[in-house]
Amino acid sequence: MATRLVASSPLCSFIKFQPVKAPSQKYSSNASFPKPVFRCVATSTTEVIERRSGNYQPCIWDIEFLQTVDSDYSKEIYKKRSENLKRQVKTMLVSEVEPLVQLELIDVLQRLCLGYEFETEIKSILQSIYNNNSSSSGKYKSSQDLHAAALEFRLLRQHHYIVPQEIFESFRDENGFKKSIYDDVKGMLSLYEASFFAFEDESIMEEAWEFTSEKLKSLKTEDMDPTLAMLVPHALEIPLHWRLPRFDARWFIEVYEKSRDMNPILLELGKLDFNIVQSMYQEDLRVMSSWWKEIALREKLDFARDRLVPSYLWGVGVSSEPQYAYSRRIIGMDIAIINMIDDIYDIYGTLEEVELFTDAVKKWDINAMKQLPDYMKIAYLAFYNTVNEMIYVILKEHGVDVTDHLTKAWLGLLNGYLTEARWYHTKHKPSLAEYMKNACMSIAGPLIATLAYLTTHKSITEEEMKYLETIPDVMHWTSYVFRISDDYGTSSDELKRGDVPKAIQCYMHDSGVSEEEARLHMRKLVRNGWKKVNKYRFMESQESPLTPTLVEMMQNLTRVSQNLYEHGDGHGIEDGETKDRVLRLLFQPIPM
Ligand code: LA6
Ligand code: MN
Ligand code: MN
Ligand code: MN
Ligand code: MN
C-alpha cells in the first residue's frame, strides 16, 4: 500500500529545492569529484533532505539545431542512383561462382552495412556453400587455406549454420596451432574473428582465440600490408561479432577506399547508402527533439541527465534499418526518460520517494500521481503519457492491447532500480551472484527487447509476449554482457557519486582481488557471456516463437554498450568520443 501524503509528511508536495552552486570545473571522468549537495528546504517544516546530483554536464546539442537538421541525401535522385547500383551488385552476387570470392563479397557488403539490402542473395549463397561442404556422415569439408576456412566458419555461424570447430584440425598438431601459421597474418586475423562465435566447451576455438590474440598483439603494424595494419588493431580492440555494422560502416568505408581490392561500385553504394540512411536518422531526430522540447523534462528535472542524442544512438544501434524509424524513435525517447528515472533512483530521490514511484507505476493510474512529490509528478506524467501513446499506436495498428505486458516490462526495470536503491540506503554489499541476478533486469535489456519486439513485428501475439516475459536465455545473457559493459565504463564515476557496488566492486569484495584484476575478470565474463549468447541465439533460431531479427536486435543492444562504454561512460559524457561518433554517424555526410 502506498503511503498517503499529509501536509506534515516530509514528502509533502510544496518543498522548494535550492541548488548549492555547482562546481565550475569541467567534468571529466578523471576529475576529482566534489559532491554537489542539493539542499531541500521544506517550507512548512524544518525538515531538510540532503540531495545529491549526478554532476553531469549539460546537453551539448542545441535543440533548435536538432529540430532543423537536414541533408541533401533525402532527395529522390540519390535514391534512384542507389537503386541502380543495387541492381549491379545483385548481378555481381548471383554471377559469382567461386566460393571464397562469394564469401569475401558478403563480408565486404556486411562491413559496409549493406547486408540488409541483399539478404535473399546472401542467404542463398551461404546455404549452397553449407550444403556443398557438409555430408551425411557429419563430417564437414574444409578449405586448406586458413583465411578461407575461418571466413566460412564465421559467416556461416553468424547466419545460423553450425560448422564444426574440427574444420581447424588440419592447422594443428599435437602442440596446438602450428607455428607455420605465424606468417599468415590475414589467416590469423580471420581465425581470431571466427573464434568469437565459439560455444562453451569448444576447446579448439578457445585455443584459437588465445593463440591469435596473443600473436596478433605482438606484431608490428609497420610490417603488415596497409589494409591489415588498419584491420588488426581495430579487431583487437573490439572483434567484428561485437561491433555494429552501422556504427562501423564509415570507418570501414575509409579503409576499403584505400584497399587494393576495392570495387568502385561497392564503394559508391556504401557511401551513398550511408548518406541516405543518415538523412532518415535526421528525420527521426527532428521529430524526437520537438517532443523532448515539448515535455520539458530537461528543464523540470535539471538534476538529471539530459541525453536525447546519445539515447537515440541506442535506437540506431538496435533498429538501424531504414524501415524501423518508429522503433528507433521509441527506443531513443524511452531511454532519454529512463536516464532521468534512473538518476532519480540512483542519486536524487529518497528511498521513500522511489518506493512511492514504483508503486505508482504498478497501479498504472493517473490518480496514482497524487501520491508523489511535485518533481516526481512531472516525471510520472511524462512517462505515463509516453508509454500510453505507444500503447495507443499499437492498439490502433494491430488491434492488440499491450498495456499489461508493457507495464510489466517497465516494472521489471523499476523493481531492479528499487532493489539497488534499498541496497544503497541500507549499505548492503551484495555478492557478484546476488548483484547480477538483479542487474540483468536493472540494465533495461529485457525492457528494450520488449520495445524492439512491439515496434518492429508485423504481428504481435499473446504467445510471443508471454514468451518474452519469461526472460528467455538469449535475453538474459545479452543483458548480462550489457550490464558488465555498463559497469566497466560507468562504475568509477558512479562510486564517486555514491552508488551501490557494481559488478567490478562486488567481485573485488567476493575475491579480494585488485580493481585491475577484477577488470580483467570482467573481460573474461564478457567472453563467456557471449558464448552463452552464441548458443542461445542458435537455439532461438531453431525453436523459438521469436524471429531471428529480434534476437539480432537483442545482441545489437549489447553491442551498443560494448562500443559506447569501451573507454568510459560514452553515454553520460557526451563531449568525448561520443561527440565524434555522433557527428560522423548522424550529422556529417561522407564526401562522395
Ligand atoms: C545507464 O546509465 C543508462 F541510463 C543508459 C541510458 C545507458 C544504458 C542503456 C539503457 C538503459 P547508468 P545504471 C538501455 O550507467 O544505474 O547510470 O544501471 O545505469 O548503472
Ligand atoms: Mn545510474
Ligand atoms: Mn541505476
Ligand atoms: Mn552504470
Ligand atoms: Mn576506440
Side-chain angles (χ1 to χ4, degrees), residues 109-128:
L109 285 171
Q110 291 189 163
R111 289 174 188 252
L112 291 170
C113 201
L114 293 171
Y116 76 100
E117 299 280 13
F118 306 99
E119 259 172 33
T120 317
E121 292 77 13
I122 290 176
K123 222 183 194 138
S124 121
I125 291 173
L126 294 177
Q127 179 77 54
S128 82

Side-chain angles (χ1 to χ4, degrees), residues 468-480:
L468 284 172
E469 276 174 19
T470 65
I471 318 287
D473 291 308
V474 71
M475 191 194 252
H476 172 83
W477 287 104
T478 46
S479 299
Y480 175 97

Side-chain angles (χ1 to χ4, degrees), residues 86-184:
K86 270 181 232 166
R87 276 193 294 275
Q88 297 183 50
V89 175
K90 267 188 191 158
T91 311
M92 215 186 284
L93 269 167
V94 295
S95 54
E96 184 55 59
V97 289
E98 178 58 43
L100 179 57
V101 182
Q102 289 175 318
L103 290 168
E104 285 181 331
L105 188 51
I106 292 172
D107 188 35
V108 167
L109 285 171
Q110 291 189 163
R111 289 174 188 252
L112 291 170
C113 201
L114 293 171
Y116 76 100
E117 299 280 13
F118 306 99
E119 259 172 33
T120 317
E121 292 77 13
I122 290 176
K123 222 183 194 138
S124 121
I125 291 173
L126 294 177
Q127 179 77 54
S128 82
I129 290 180
Y130 182 76
N131 289 349
N132 286 343
N133 291 340
S134 45
S135 68
S136 51
S137 68
K139 218 167 149 45
Y140 193 89
K141 196 161 74 201
S142 82
S143 167
Q144 291 312 300
D145 173 63
L146 182 59
H147 162 66
L151 181 63
E152 180 175 339
F153 178 95
R154 167 165 68 80
L155 290 177
L156 284 174
R157 281 211 175 182
Q158 182 200 341
H159 290 268
H160 303 117
Y161 298 97
I162 302 299
V163 179
Q165 60 165 350
E166 284 72 24
I167 67 160
F168 296 112
E169 281 294 16
S170 58
F171 305 99
R172 300 169 74 245
D173 55 26
E174 60 285 358
N175 302 316
F177 278 90
K178 294 176 188 164
K179 302 263 183 298
S180 56
I181 296 167
Y182 286 9
D183 297 328
D184 180 6

